[in-house]
Every structure is written in structure tokens, then in C-alpha cells.
Amino acid sequence: MKYNPDKHHRKSIRLKGYDYSQPGWYFVTICTQNHEMLFGYIKDGKMVLNDPGIMIKNIWNEIPQFYHGIDIGLYQIMPNHLHGIINITNVGTDPCVCPNNGQSQGIAHTFSLPEVVQRFKSLTTKRYIGGVKQYNWRRFNEKLWQRNYYEHIIRDEKDLNRIQQYIIENPLKWQDDRYFKRLS
């Protein structure tokens, strides 16, 4: 279906005018398309990751290795979404170094929050498709992830502590989640 501006009203949920590449702590929630339960299940208030869930965990943990100036904080993978804290640090302060002669090549690229999330979604989708083909993982319909994601700019330590508590308690509150599907 082609884009029709009369039918498709896409509004950004980002804070207008905010620079999402500036240093700071950000809380994100990334959901599977149609809230499909693809990454495991909750048992006794704890998340049990299946193979796709382990893949998601591994790629999330690798973010700081591959993206200059990006660290991760507390996170929780759930059956159909991920909650995580991303910290953008050292923006543009470290020079890129050429591996051949060690000479500075200028300022390193600064990754924005949307770039990190988009790359995470792309890589996990590619790896998930590989898992479907190679390991017979459960197929998803058209897209692995929803088009957008939720983000919150963490403003202070009190805000950070509240969000960390929410992440920790998320598996315990799974049955209260509006997308929890009872299997009985």
C-alpha cells in the first residue's frame, strides 16, 4: 500500500526540537509487531529466555562494543518487548584512529538514540530470520518489531531509580500486562 497523507497520519512521538545524540540517559521500550510472544515466557515471576530471546540479549549486550559513546544500563527482555536504559556518553570527544598508522582521522561519529534503536532492530531482525531458516524458530508476520518505540529522557537520579525499579519488577507484574495472553 502506497503512502496516502489523507489516510496515514504519522506523527513523531519524539520531543520536538530535542537532540537525541546529546549525552544523557534514555529509557526505551521496543515491542514486537502485534505483541507476538517470541522471546520466551515468564515462570514464577522470572523471564525464561528461549533461543531468540538469548539472541536479543546478546545483541543488546554488544551495543557498547560496536557503537562509540553508547553504554547500556539495566534492561529486561520480556516475551514480547524489551525495556532498556541507554546512556549516550563522550559525544564526539574521541578521535577516530586509523588502524594502519594510528593517526587521528577526526572526531568519531556520534550515534543518536534513534540510530542505535534502528540498528538494534535491523540486526536482530536479520539474525531472527536466520534463526527461522536454520533452527526453525517461530516465524513472525511481516515485521519482527513495531515501527516505533517508546522513549523517555531520564532527567535525574530519582527518575533513573524509578525506571530501574520498574524494569526489575516488570516480570513480576506480567499477568497485569495488557498484552499478556493467557494460555489456558
Side-chain angles (χ1 to χ4, degrees):
M1 174 187 283
K2 286 188 172 184
Y3 174 74
N4 179 339
D6 295 326
K7 292 181 181 177
H8 305 107
H9 303 284
R10 291 188 176 176
K11 293 183 181 179
S12 176
I13 61 172
R14 305 291 153 253
L15 184 60
K16 192 171 185 138
Y18 186 82
D19 178 4
Y20 283 92
S21 64
Q22 69 179 314
W25 292 88
Y26 301 89
F27 171 60
V28 296
T29 299
I30 308 169
C31 297
T32 59
Q33 185 73 19
N34 300 319
H35 302 281
E36 291 293 320
M37 310 288 182
L38 299 173
F39 306 138
Y41 58 92
I42 304 291
K43 181 176 182 180
D44 300 326
K46 293 188 177 167
M47 181 64 193
V48 179
L49 297 173
N50 57 15
D51 289 341
I54 292 168
M55 177 272 298
I56 297 295
K57 176 184 174 183
N58 290 340
I59 291 175
W60 186 262
N61 283 327
E62 291 172 356
I63 287 173
Q65 296 171 21
F66 296 103
Y67 301 104
H68 170 79
I70 305 295
D71 287 328
I72 57 170
L74 193 64
Y75 68 93
Q76 177 64 59
I77 299 166
M78 297 294 287
N80 61 1
H81 63 279
L82 174 142
H83 294 296
I85 296 174
I86 294 176
N87 185 14
I88 298 178
T89 64
N90 300 328
V91 177
T93 58
D94 292 342
C96 292
V97 176
C98 180
N100 294 336
N101 61 15
Q103 296 297 310
S104 173
Q105 301 298 308
I107 301 300
H109 172 71
T110 300
F111 290 97
S112 68
L113 182 66
E115 284 178 305
V116 173
V117 172
Q118 183 272 327
R119 288 172 181 227
F120 171 78
K121 286 180 170 184
S122 294
L123 184 55
T124 53
T125 298
K126 182 177 179 179
R127 295 255 180 98
Y128 196 106
I129 291 169
V132 169
K133 292 176 182 175
Q134 190 170 3
Y135 304 113
N136 203 29
W137 290 357
R138 182 175 160 206
R139 294 181 177 275
F140 57 86
N141 188 17
E142 294 183 33
K143 295 181 179 185
L144 178 59
W145 301 105
Q146 287 182 354
R147 182 183 69 84
N148 220 328
Y149 61 95
Y150 170 82
E151 60 79 15
H152 171 81
I153 302 162
I154 300 174
R155 289 167 174 80
D156 55 31
E157 191 170 341
K158 183 179 177 183
D159 198 20
L160 176 63
N161 291 336
R162 180 185 57 78
I163 289 167
Q164 288 174 329
Q165 194 64 35
Y166 174 81
I167 291 171
I168 290 166
E169 293 175 356
N170 206 245
L172 295 170
K173 297 179 178 182
W174 178 238
Q175 291 189 349
D176 298 331
D177 190 286
R178 67 182 174 169
Y179 298 110
F180 169 73
K181 296 178 183 173
R182 297 193 193 286
L183 300 176
S184 56

